[in-house]
């Protein structure tokens, strides 16, 4: 019994050390997560530190935390949710674009169009939606049909973003 | 070889010397010239004002575009993707524009291409996609057989993403099977200087061939292709914004210099004009006096 306690006592500092190293490691990776989020006309984040980013992509929605495995993804219309260092949430609507997560844990999100969700106007989305639906039914060629379909999908995502 | 030959042909040098020596010109001739130079100065001054306004806008727009471009470049730099320079088919994309009177912006891009072609030698088959009429006009003189296609009606308004997407589509859809591609454009440094830069555009096969490619998780062909196509458009967008900003700033400087030169000419001509007028008056006086003395 005494031996067990002793062993425990001897291990305790080691454990603490390990834990502190873990914490230190996670701190370091926080600093490394250089997050860039831009469209050609606006820059929202540039090498900023954030806690988490949720992105909608064609391979599914996923969240990016520091030290995410390196990958590439293609954005689809939807809402990007950024949790900042202080815990506040920011929502941006993106039309299309790319997500890059590099092996140095830097994250680049490039969007063709990106706007904060509160800038969206519900009325003009409804108008655009009905127009796109009309175009989809009246489209004669395959390309026009596909284009109208893309527009509808985008408007659906916009509507969802505004309602949420 | 052909390029060298065409370069060796002597350029036409205008051989007109000073046709009229000072004082020989009549008052009327000087007055006409003075008026035309003043008009030219007015034009260059207003062009400078216009391009100053356009430059301010272009520079404002360049800031986000630059962050965007750096973001688009980041993956290719961090994944250490290298273009295969041993392959013979090279596609160059030159960023020029429709508008002239902006210093050496367009010729800098074309000179860069020519230097690059000479450096690579004749074993490399180079094709050029040129954006903007001015660049095309310069290329057509010596390298017309290398032009793959060109875009006109570009450069009047600030570039937008749709323009970049159009160029990117053309690059992707071209029949020419290129092994590597390079984007050549002017990078804005300051109002008076710009750097002609090249930026490699990578194909999906080059990405797959890189050493660090395996580090990236769950990549299928489709994702990679989509990603690469979008990045291509992004990089072109970045180059267009850089080019537009350099062009406007360069035009501003060029027009400023032109106005200054016109001002100097006006000063000189005014001086000549006054001197000639004085001479005419003096001559007439002498004629009158000597006429009176002869009586």
């Amino acid at each position: 019994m005494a031996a067990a306690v002793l062993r425990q006592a001897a291990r305790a500092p080691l454990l603490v050390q390990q834990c502190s190293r873990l914490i230190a490691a996670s701190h370091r990776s926080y600093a490394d997560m250089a997050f860039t989020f831009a469209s050609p006309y606006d820059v929202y984040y540039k090498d900023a530190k954030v806690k988490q980013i949720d992105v909608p992509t064609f391979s599914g929605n996923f969240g990016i935390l520091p030290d995410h495995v390196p990958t590439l993804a293609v954005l689809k219309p939807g809402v990007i949710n950024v949790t900042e260092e202080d815990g506040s949430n920011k929502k941006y609507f993106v039309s299309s674009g790319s997500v890059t997560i590099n092996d140095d844990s830097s994250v680049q999100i490039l969007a063709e169009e990106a706007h904060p969700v509160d800038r969206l106007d519900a009325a003009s989305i409804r108008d655009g939606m009905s127009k796109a639906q009309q175009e989809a039914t009246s489209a004669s060629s395959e390309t026009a049909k596909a284009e109208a379909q893309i527009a509808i999908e985008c408007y659906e995502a916009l509507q969802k973003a505004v309602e949420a | 070889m052909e390029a060298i030959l065409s370069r060796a042909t002597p350029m036409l040098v205008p051989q007109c010397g000073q046709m009229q020596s000072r004082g020989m010109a009549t008052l009327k001739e000087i007055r006409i010239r003075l008026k035309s130079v003043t008009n030219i100065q007015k034009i260059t001054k207003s062009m400078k004002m216009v391009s100053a306004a356009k430059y301010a806008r272009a520079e404002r727009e360049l800031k986000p575009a630059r962050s965007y471009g750096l973001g688009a470049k980041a993956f290719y730099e961090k994944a250490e993707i290298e273009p295969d320079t041993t392959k013979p088919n090279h596609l160059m994309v030159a960023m020029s524009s429709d508008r002239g009177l902006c210093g050496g912006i367009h010729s800098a891009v074309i000179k860069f291409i020519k230097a690059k072609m000479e450096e690579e030698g004749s074993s490399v088959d180079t094709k050029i996609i040129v954006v903007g009429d001015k660049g095309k006009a310069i290329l057509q003189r010596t390298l017309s057989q290398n032009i793959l296609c060109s875009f006109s009606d570009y450069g009047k308004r600030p570039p937008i993403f749709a323009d970049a997407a159009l160029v990117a589509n053309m690059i992707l859809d071209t029949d020419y099977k290129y092994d590597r591609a390079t984007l050549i454009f002017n990078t804005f440094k300051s109002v008076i200087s710009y750097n002609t830069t090249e930026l490699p555009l990578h194909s999906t096969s080059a990405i797959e061939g890189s050493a660090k490619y395996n580090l990236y998780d769950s990549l299928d062909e489709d994702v990679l292709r989509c990603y690469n196509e979008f990045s291509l458009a992004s990089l072109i967008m970045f180059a267009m914004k850089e080019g537009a900003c350099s062009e406007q700033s360069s035009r501003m400087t060029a027009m400023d210099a032109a106005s200054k030169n016109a001002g100097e000419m006006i000063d000189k001509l005014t001086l000549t004009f006054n001197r000639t007028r004085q001479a005419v008056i003096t001559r007439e006086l002498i004629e009158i006096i000597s006429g009176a003395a002869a009586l």
Side-chain angles (χ1 to χ4, degrees):
Chain A
M1 183 65 193
V5 168
L6 245 173
R7 214 181 304 139
Q8 198 74 34
R11 270 183 64 188
L14 239 175
L15 269 171
V16 170
Q17 228 176 32
Q18 260 173 359
C19 284
S20 68
R21 200 179 303 143
L22 266 177
I23 290 162
S26 68
H27 265 297
R28 213 180 312 130
S29 69
Y30 256 176
D32 280 345
M33 184 161 148
F35 174 50
T36 302
F37 174 31
S39 80
Y41 317 103
D42 288 296
V43 178
Y44 294 103
Y45 294 90
K46 190 169 189 317
D47 294 334
K49 277 199 292 179
V50 293
K51 267 192 185 153
Q52 189 185 344
I53 314 143
D54 296 321
V55 290
T57 72
F58 280 104
S59 30
N61 295 6
F62 64 91
I64 305 168
L65 287 164
D67 266 339
H68 194 281
V69 62
T71 188
L72 305 176
V74 184
L75 285 176
K76 71 173 182 186
V79 174
I80 287 188
N81 200 339
V82 183
T83 312
E84 290 186 356
E85 280 282 271
D86 55 5
S88 63
N89 260 332
K90 288 243 171 81
K91 285 186 169 153
Y92 300 93
F93 186 84
V94 290
S95 62
S96 57
S98 64
V99 182
T100 318
I101 306 164
N102 289 308
D103 60 343
D104 60 356
S105 189
S106 66
V107 179
Q108 284 95 33
I109 296 181
L110 304 175
E112 196 175 331
E113 290 286 343
H115 296 284
V117 167
D118 51 21
R119 260 198 234 161
L120 301 176
D121 175 28
S124 51
I125 293 170
R126 265 197 302 280
D127 289 350
M129 180 70 158
S130 55
K131 216 173 138 193
Q133 273 163 343
Q134 258 174 20
E135 269 169 29
T137 46
S138 64
S140 49
S141 69
E142 280 295 308
T143 339
K145 213 169 251 177
E147 272 173 9
Q149 201 56 45
I150 292 169
I152 289 175
E153 271 169 35
C154 188
Y155 279 120
E156 273 169 2
L158 274 166
Q159 251 168 359
K160 238 198 249 166
V162 171
E163 280 158 15
Chain B
M1 191 59 204
E2 221 169 316
I4 297 166
L5 274 179
S6 61
R7 183 167 281 205
T9 53
M11 301 284 276
L12 277 175
V13 182
Q15 292 286 339
C16 46
Q18 202 80 30
M19 292 300 275
Q20 319 166 315
S21 62
R22 204 183 61 187
M24 289 300 281
T26 62
L27 267 183
K28 197 182 177 197
E29 275 166 355
I30 298 175
R31 200 183 294 126
I32 290 169
R33 256 194 97 192
L34 195 56
K35 206 173 168 193
S36 84
V37 175
T38 318
N39 281 341
I40 289 170
Q41 195 194 27
K42 272 185 202 155
I43 294 170
T44 54
K45 255 189 188 160
S46 57
M47 279 180 85
K48 189 207 151 193
M49 297 302 236
V50 170
S51 56
K54 282 190 176 170
Y55 158 71
R57 185 178 171 191
E59 204 208 0
R60 204 172 52 235
E61 285 177 355
L62 179 63
K63 254 178 224 158
R66 202 169 253 179
S67 311
Y68 187 77
L70 289 181
K73 270 198 289 190
F75 165 67
Y76 299 103
E77 277 164 8
K78 284 178 176 149
E80 289 163 14
I81 295 160
E82 294 288 329
D84 188 356
T85 46
T86 54
K87 298 262 184 69
N89 292 343
H90 192 177
L91 179 74
M92 293 201 203
V93 185
M95 286 291 158
S96 167
S97 91
D98 275 9
R99 294 293 175 94
L101 292 178
C102 50
I105 284 281
H106 306 303
S107 57
V109 170
I110 306 303
K111 258 187 208 157
F112 193 93
I113 289 179
K114 282 184 180 163
K116 188 104 185 141
M117 282 172 77
E118 234 159 79
E119 181 193 315
E120 286 182 339
S122 53
S123 61
V124 176
D125 177 30
T126 309
K127 290 277 182 223
I128 303 164
I129 292 181
V130 50
V131 182
D133 277 344
K134 283 286 164 195
K136 186 187 166 198
I138 305 174
L139 274 178
Q140 234 156 13
R141 284 206 292 263
T142 49
L143 297 168
S144 56
Q145 74 283 357
N146 294 71
I147 299 178
L148 192 63
C149 67
S150 67
F151 292 85
S152 59
D153 204 17
Y154 166 75
K156 291 193 178 81
R157 273 159 282 113
I160 53 171
F161 196 83
D163 297 332
L166 207 67
V167 177
N169 258 337
M170 180 54 104
I171 295 174
L172 293 168
D173 291 345
T174 174
D175 295 331
Y176 177 64
K177 291 275 162 283
Y178 55 92
D179 302 305
R180 59 207 160 88
T182 317
L183 189 60
I184 290 143
F185 60 100
N186 290 312
T187 310
F188 174 72
K189 253 171 76 186
S190 72
V191 182
I192 47 163
S193 69
Y194 53 88
N195 272 350
T196 310
T197 334
E198 61 173 326
L199 184 69
L201 302 169
H202 300 285
S203 60
T204 44
S205 55
I207 297 174
E208 279 164 353
S210 95
K212 277 195 166 181
Y213 175 69
N214 291 331
L215 281 177
Y216 288 81
D217 189 40
S218 65
L219 287 186
D220 54 42
E221 210 173 286
D222 233 20
V223 168
L224 189 65
R225 195 174 51 81
C226 284
Y227 179 89
N228 204 34
E229 282 175 6
F230 184 77
S231 289
L232 177 68
S234 302
L235 290 173
I236 291 172
M237 179 77 208
F238 164 61
M240 279 177 163
K241 287 280 181 202
E242 287 276 7
C245 191
S246 331
E247 185 192 323
Q248 295 301 349
S249 71
S250 177
R251 177 170 297 126
M252 197 169 80
T253 342
M255 286 302 118
D256 191 32
S259 309
K260 215 192 287 164
N261 289 344
E264 274 171 23
M265 269 176 92
I266 290 172
D267 285 349
K268 270 186 198 158
L269 280 170
T270 319
L271 196 69
T272 324
F273 179 74
N274 288 340
R275 202 173 276 160
T276 317
R277 198 189 54 196
Q278 210 65 47
V280 169
I281 293 169
T282 316
R283 204 179 58 221
E284 279 173 5
L285 272 178
I286 290 170
E287 273 166 14
I288 293 167
I289 293 166
S290 51
L295 280 176

